[in-house]
Amino acid sequence: MTSAQVDNGQGGRRAPEAADATTSGEGYQRALGARQIQMIAIGGAIGTGLFLGAGKAIAKAGPSLILAYAIAGLVIFFIMRALGELLMYRPVSGSFSEYAREFVGPFAGFVTGWTYWLFWVVTGITEVTAAAQYMTFWFDIPQWVSALIFTIILYGVNLISVKLFGELEFWFSMVKVTAIVGMILICAGILTLGFSDAGDTASVTHLWADGGFFPHGISGTLMTLQIVMFAFLAVELVGVTAGESKDPKTVLPKAINTVPWRIAVFYVGALIMILSVVPWTEFSPGVSPFVEAFQKMGLGLGAGIVNFVVLTAALSSCNSGMYSTGRMLRDLALNGQGPKAFTKLTKSGTPLVGTTVSAALMLVGVWINYQWPGDAFTYVVSFATISGMWAWIMILVSQIRYRRLADRGDLPQSSFRAPGAPYTSVFALAFIGMVIVMMGIDKDARISLYCAPLWALILGVSYLVLKARNPDNKAFAGR
């Protein structure tokens, strides 16, 4: 089936032109407004990778983690502008797999769609794992119990309309943004006024006085790159909302252009403040640096509040995962690259079957927490990172090929061209390649590289089987 023709979720076909202002050509409801898209974009960059993963990264890199986040943040901006250029050329909810299918080939679209789906399933497990860990701050209950309860609740939330999903994500993101800004202001107050238990020792000199800015050398900083990149995974989620945004041509560019200041404030700014108030040597791997910072300051109530915020962040990310997996499975099914059952929509425009299957697989996270409660987060972070970065690679490769065709006059020019492309896209690809090399060196992250070939083999065989069974399907034809 071509991209110009879609399933309406009720077994029929219709062209995009048949859609009205409230329904996209893919059959979704255009119910996400500018306010919601903006907060989904902002909140997508604030999750477990920052709140929990930063603890391990601080132990490995010390204050130089700030530089790692700044450089990686620049790369993320290049990726998002590349995505923005593609979105303004053709805004579709299939996003990455659609562009990979059009500009790289049908197999690339197949791999990208299924890999991004897997990424969010694994990320959902990651976030439920983190949420379960946060619950131990207040309650002495097994992690797997909390993980099970949260998975069931979030699945229930995702059965509601996309408009309500957007509203829920808006408030989830508002909590995260307000909390981080509040933490920055409190730390700034401690540095200038000297209150709290950390007031007498708080100083920006902690950024270089406790073993230097690179206490474990440049290599220590490089080894944190996979943790840093994991923290930014999900910023591309705004692309998946294209098919359900009320005004994608206006809203999406504005959301993407907020990337630099979000990274500057929420990552670089927050870490500068926290590491100035509390020396990096006092943070522990596996413990949220934000929670630990408030405990070191003697602000017990503040630690409890921050723990609630990071719990909200984890649940928000898992909720977004359930949202995106259903859409990605439906896009694959619409192109004949997935079970036809995934094309069905509820009356409110929700891909129920795909969401249900994804939520069921996320329950695997409950078992992981039961079997290995201490190692679960490390394992799933590694696999989620390599899966998510594949989507970034396809975004960049697709943008490079699209720009070449557009500049040649074969395709219309995007109204939101990526600055510096294709050089910025090539730089971003090289950076991602370096991160993958670092993952191969890190024994904790190496497991994801062992799993990747197995996943590639499964996809390759599945593609050949589907192609053999559907020889007339244009989704399997060459470009």
Side-chain angles (χ1 to χ4, degrees):
M1 183 175 64
T2 65
S3 60
Q5 199 176 39
V6 297
D7 192 310
N8 66 7
Q10 307 300 325
R13 304 276 192 237
R14 74 174 178 188
E17 291 78 16
D20 57 31
T22 60
T23 306
S24 73
E26 301 160 282
Y28 294 117
Q29 300 297 315
R30 290 199 177 277
L32 296 176
R35 173 177 61 89
Q36 294 163 328
I37 295 292
Q38 285 285 353
M39 290 307 291
I40 288 173
I42 294 172
I46 309 172
T48 305
L50 173 62
F51 287 120
L52 184 61
K56 183 177 181 180
I58 289 172
K60 282 188 173 185
S64 65
L65 180 63
I66 297 168
L67 180 61
Y69 273 117
I71 296 174
L74 178 63
V75 172
I76 293 300
F77 179 62
F78 292 156
I79 294 171
M80 291 302 292
R81 283 304 301 259
L83 174 60
E85 181 168 334
L86 293 169
L87 285 170
M88 292 305 98
Y89 153 68
R90 190 163 69 92
V92 288
S93 65
S95 196
F96 332 117
S97 66
E98 281 288 322
Y99 302 135
R101 189 176 295 118
E102 180 176 357
F103 296 110
V104 183
F107 182 61
F110 178 82
V111 171
T112 302
W114 281 106
T115 301
Y116 194 66
W117 166 80
L118 178 68
F119 156 66
W120 270 115
V121 170
V122 176
T123 299
I125 295 172
T126 304
E127 301 295 2
V128 168
T129 300
Q133 289 183 7
Y134 296 144
M135 288 298 291
T136 61
F137 181 86
W138 298 297
F139 308 106
D140 184 18
I141 57 176
Q143 289 187 28
W144 70 268
V145 173
S146 298
L148 176 60
I149 293 172
F150 288 141
T151 303
I152 293 173
I153 291 175
L154 291 177
Y155 169 68
V157 168
N158 270 268
L159 296 183
I160 308 172
S161 69
V162 67
K163 182 176 181 179
L164 198 50
F165 159 81
E167 197 63 28
L168 182 64
E169 280 304 301
F170 172 84
W171 290 108
F172 269 154
S173 298
M174 183 65 75
V175 169
K176 293 185 287 186
V177 170
T178 302
I180 291 185
V181 172
M183 282 187 281
I184 291 174
L185 293 176
I186 289 173
C187 288
I190 292 173
L191 285 169
T192 55
L193 302 178
F195 64 89
S196 88
D197 293 351
D200 294 336
T201 58
S203 172
V204 291
T205 60
H206 286 312
L207 298 178
W208 59 82
D210 303 302
F213 188 70
F214 295 94
H216 298 302
I218 299 294
S219 61
T221 308
L222 292 176
M223 295 304 289
T224 66
L225 286 179
Q226 73 106 356
I227 300 174
V228 170
M229 294 302 277
F230 173 77
F232 290 122
L233 290 173
V235 295
E236 75 291 331
L237 180 65
V238 69
V240 182
T241 68
E244 294 170 278
S245 171
K246 291 180 179 178
D247 186 10
K249 293 284 188 179
T250 301
V251 173
L252 295 178
K254 290 181 179 179
I256 289 171
N257 279 334
T258 64
V259 169
W261 71 260
R262 305 184 235 160
I263 292 171
V265 173
F266 301 133
Y267 285 87
V268 177
L271 284 175
I272 287 175
M273 288 299 178
I274 287 177
L275 295 178
S276 295
V277 172
V278 180
W280 72 270
T281 53
E282 297 187 24
F283 291 100
S284 307
V287 179
S288 170
F290 295 89
V291 173
E292 199 162 21
F294 272 92
Q295 289 176 328
K296 299 291 185 184
M297 296 173 199
L299 303 175
L301 179 61
I305 293 173
V306 172
N307 196 70
F308 170 74
V309 172
V310 296
L311 173 64
T312 300
L315 296 178
S316 169
S317 184
C318 186
N319 192 37
S320 295
M322 289 191 184
Y323 165 83
S324 61
T325 50
R327 274 73 183 169
M328 196 56 64
L329 286 180
R330 184 168 185 264
D331 176 73
L332 287 162
L334 288 172
N335 283 280
Q337 296 183 338
K340 189 175 181 180
F342 291 149
T343 64
K344 302 300 181 183
L345 292 175
T346 64
K347 291 182 179 179
S348 60
T350 302
L352 178 61
V353 178
T355 303
T356 301
V357 170
S358 301
L361 289 176
M362 287 180 189
L363 287 174
V364 173
V366 177
W367 177 73
I368 291 176
N369 275 286
Y370 178 75
Q371 291 291 333
W372 304 288
D375 299 324
F377 185 76
T378 299
Y379 293 153
V380 292
V381 162
S382 297
F383 196 70
T385 303
I386 193 69
S387 301
M389 286 196 298
W390 176 258
W392 292 347
I393 291 171
M394 284 296 100
I395 289 170
L396 293 166
V397 172
S398 297
Q399 186 272 334
I400 290 172
R401 295 195 172 187
Y402 160 72
R403 174 67 72 86
R404 185 181 305 140
L405 291 170
D407 287 347
R408 206 165 61 194
D410 294 339
L411 289 173
Q413 289 283 357
S414 171
S415 59
F416 191 56
R417 288 167 62 92
Y423 305 107
T424 50
S425 296
V426 172
F427 172 78
L429 283 170
F431 186 86
I432 292 173
M434 181 180 67
V435 173
I436 294 174
V437 170
M438 292 298 105
M439 291 176 70
I441 297 173
D442 188 340
K443 61 181 180 64
D444 292 331
R446 203 176 298 154
I447 185 173
S448 64
L449 300 184
Y450 296 151
C451 296
L454 176 61
W455 177 244
L457 178 63
I458 293 172
L459 289 178
V461 172
S462 300
Y463 182 82
L464 291 175
V465 171
L466 285 171
K467 185 176 182 179
R469 290 183 176 180
N470 302 276
D472 298 326
N473 192 327
K474 293 182 180 180
F476 297 100
R479 291 187 68 246

